[in-house]
Structures are given as C-alpha cells and as structure tokens.
C-alpha cells in the first residue's frame, strides 16, 4: 500500500512545474530597402534612484535602484525617395529631390543594482517608472539637431563619392534642391 501511495504521488506531483512555450511566425515580409546610415552615435549613462518614506519629516525606510542605460542614435536616409533625372543628350544628372533624415534613438536600460528592504518592497510599477524615466533622460540627452546637421554633411560626402561615375562619363551634376551647393558639383 505504501509503495502504491508513493508511486501515485510521484506521478501527480503538485510541486513540479513545467512550462512550455510555442512561438509561431505569423507574417514575415522582407522588402528591399535602400537606406543609407550616414551617422551613428553610442552613449551610456548610470542613474541612481532613491525611494524613501518619511514620517514627521524623518526618513523611515529607503531603497534604491541603479540603472545602466545604453543609447544608440542613427541618422539614415531612404534613397528610394531621392529623385534623379538623367538628360543623356546634354549629359546632365539632375537631382530633383533629396530625402529627409530619419533619426532613430534607441535606449536600452539594464538594472545594475536593486537595494530592496523587507518593509519597503520595490514594486514592479516602481521598476517600470524608473526604467521609463531612464529611457526618457537618454532620449533627451541626444542632440537631434546636431545629428541631423552632421548627418547631412556625411550624406553629401557619400553622394559625392557615388557621383564619381557620372563625373567620369563627363556628366554635369545639376542640383535643383539647392542643398548640394557645398560639394561644388
């Protein structure tokens, strides 16, 4: 009887937890993209957040979270939006339109230290608030205007290198956008 009890108990062990995850790709689309990343900036920062409760102006309990934030900022241009016209009779390459810069800022927050107390527990909501504030601070620390300016200069240098073939074929490059004047095309 004892053997039957233990064998039955091992078959239906309530303490043993199993987990199964099934992942399915519902839609997968690959499209041809002609994006040129012209500038990339990486930065990192540490942030210490202290949370405490006070009673009659005196701190009773406190805890803290230290986060490490890595931020990647990229400036890219979608060259599919660049409009060119080729005049083979007059040997001209006419630039009608240049795309606008796409600035993408991606912060990533890791919790490095969590100082939790028995009486004052850090909740999931507190952790989400701290990580959200760290992301917002990281995004604000990136100077988008400076990135766009430097990205535009790099785009011009890259286009100058791309237009080498047109110059070798004695084509004149005509800028109708008014944005390429610094290259002396």
């Amino acid at each position: 009887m004892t053997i039957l009890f233990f064998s039955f108990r091992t078959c239906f062990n309530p303490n043993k937890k199993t987990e199964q995850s099934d992942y399915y790709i519902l839609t997968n689309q690959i499209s041809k993209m002609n994006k040129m990343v012209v500038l990339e900036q990486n930065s990192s920062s540490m942030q210490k957040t202290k949370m405490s409760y006070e009673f009659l102006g005196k701190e009773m309990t406190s805890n803290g979270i230290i986060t490490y934030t890595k931020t990647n900022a990229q400036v890219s241009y979608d060259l599919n939006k660049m409009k060119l016209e080729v005049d083979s009779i007059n040997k001209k390459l006419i630039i009608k339109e240049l795309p606008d810069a796409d600035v993408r800022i991606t912060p990533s927050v890791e919790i490095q230290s969590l100082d939790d107390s028995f009486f004052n527990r850090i909740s999931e909501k507190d952790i989400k608030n701290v990580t959200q504030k760290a992301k917002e601070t990281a995004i604000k620390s990136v100077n988008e205007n400076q990135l766009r300016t430097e990205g535009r200069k790099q785009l011009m240098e890259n286009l100058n290198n791309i237009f080498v073939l047109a110059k070798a074929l004695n084509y004149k490059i005509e800028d109708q956008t008014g944005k390429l004047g610094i290259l002396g095309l």
Side-chain angles (χ1 to χ4, degrees):
M1 185 70 167
T2 309
I3 295 172
L4 184 62
F5 172 73
F6 283 115
S7 63
F8 182 74
R9 187 171 177 224
T10 56
C11 290
F12 298 104
N13 188 355
N15 295 331
K16 186 177 178 186
K17 181 181 178 182
T18 60
E19 184 175 310
Q20 181 180 353
S21 299
D22 296 323
Y23 299 96
Y24 301 98
I25 297 176
L26 299 177
T27 307
N28 188 7
Q29 178 181 355
I30 299 173
S31 61
K32 187 176 179 181
M33 297 186 49
N34 291 321
K35 287 206 175 195
M36 179 189 293
V37 176
V38 294
L39 195 67
E40 185 173 60
Q41 173 186 337
N42 292 303
S43 62
S44 60
S45 64
M46 297 287 283
Q47 178 177 325
K48 182 176 181 179
T49 303
K50 182 179 177 182
M51 296 173 275
S52 62
Y53 287 103
E54 293 182 1
F55 183 70
L56 298 174
K58 189 170 184 180
E59 185 178 293
M60 300 302 288
T61 62
S62 70
N63 48 23
I65 300 175
I66 296 176
T67 57
Y68 175 67
T69 307
K70 294 184 282 187
T71 307
N72 175 272
Q74 288 185 340
V75 180
S76 62
Y77 290 90
D78 186 357
L79 297 183
N80 285 328
K81 295 179 181 175
M82 187 165 95
K83 293 192 171 65
L84 296 172
E85 187 178 299
V86 178
D87 181 0
S88 56
I89 296 170
N90 297 320
K91 287 198 165 196
K92 286 184 182 179
L93 179 64
I94 304 165
I95 303 167
K96 297 275 191 182
E97 189 175 326
L98 286 174
D100 291 327
D102 177 31
V103 178
R104 180 171 291 158
I105 303 170
T106 312
S108 161
V109 179
E110 298 174 7
I111 295 177
Q112 294 292 311
S113 176
L114 194 70
D115 181 21
D116 204 8
S117 68
F118 180 73
F119 296 108
N120 184 16
R121 305 296 302 188
I122 297 176
S123 69
E124 186 176 334
K125 182 181 175 187
D126 291 336
I127 292 172
K128 284 182 180 178
N129 285 340
V130 168
T131 56
Q132 185 62 33
K133 285 178 184 175
K135 286 180 183 180
E136 290 169 3
T137 301
I139 290 171
K140 288 177 187 174
S141 71
V142 174
N143 186 344
E144 271 192 65
N145 291 331
Q146 181 183 3
L147 281 178
R148 285 182 191 278
T149 302
E150 291 177 16
R152 174 63 74 178
K153 288 178 187 175
Q154 188 61 44
L155 174 68
M156 297 308 142
E157 287 179 29
N158 292 357
L159 289 177
N160 196 23
N161 293 334
I162 291 171
F163 294 146
V164 166
L165 180 61
K167 291 176 188 176
L169 295 172
N170 292 324
Y171 272 69
K172 184 177 180 191
I173 299 171
E174 186 178 305
D175 174 28
Q176 290 186 349
T177 66
K179 298 177 182 177
L180 297 176
I182 60 172
L183 291 179
L185 299 174

